[in-house]
Amino acid sequence: QLPLVESGGGLVQPGGSLRLSCATSGFTVDDYAIGWFRQAPGKEREGVLCISRRGTFIKYADSVKGRFTLSRDNAKKVSLQMNSLKPEDTAVYYCAADTNPVPNFCSIETPGGRYDHWGQGTQVTVSS
């Protein structure tokens, strides 16, 4: 089992920012592709963005392009910077690891079947 722990969720007003982190133990994030997914109540889980093994490829969902960015903070943590947040961004956010990644590629296809290890999720609520 590869533990993944998300943190940084909370309540923010529309137009505000949050920074989510995904921390690992027992492996370095460069070894695997890392994806962020979210699931709103009553909706299907959707891919937000991902970064390939060694960070050579990043893919963003159209809904977050220009607002969300992903970075590798260190060998064991990646962060999701979310700016200009909208009420429709409200969801539980999950990070996940693909331990058999395709080189220079990562996937945000719903429901994230390539990813075999998931964190417990962190709630993000965008509301005034």
Side-chain angles (χ1 to χ4, degrees):
Q1 188 69 15
L2 301 178
L4 298 165
V5 180
E6 302 94 338
S7 62
L11 173 64
V12 64
Q13 292 186 342
S17 299
L18 278 176
R19 188 176 180 87
L20 306 183
S21 293
C22 175
T24 73
S25 62
F27 70 98
T28 62
V29 294
D30 277 345
D31 290 339
Y32 305 117
I34 302 294
W36 281 93
F37 291 78
R38 65 187 182 186
Q39 188 164 21
K43 294 188 176 180
E44 189 178 35
R45 184 167 59 196
E46 66 169 334
V48 177
L49 44 65
C50 65
I51 187 168
S52 67
R53 184 185 179 200
R54 304 197 186 287
T56 55
F57 175 82
I58 298 176
K59 184 171 181 65
Y60 295 84
D62 289 343
S63 59
V64 304
K65 280 181 182 177
R67 300 189 298 123
F68 290 13
T69 56
L70 184 65
S71 62
R72 290 181 184 267
D73 295 344
N74 55 50
K76 294 189 180 296
K77 189 169 74 170
V78 296
S79 290
L80 174 62
Q81 178 66 41
M82 307 187 296
N83 299 325
S84 302
L85 283 161
K86 305 175 182 180
E88 51 263 43
D89 294 318
T90 296
V92 178
Y93 283 71
Y94 301 89
C95 68
D98 173 2
T99 61
N100 189 28
V102 174
N104 304 311
F105 176 78
C106 62
S107 171
I108 55 171
E109 290 184 7
T110 301
R114 284 203 58 90
Y115 296 86
D116 46 355
H117 294 275
W118 293 79
Q120 82 289 350
T122 185
Q123 176 71 46
V124 171
T125 302
V126 185
S127 175
S128 55

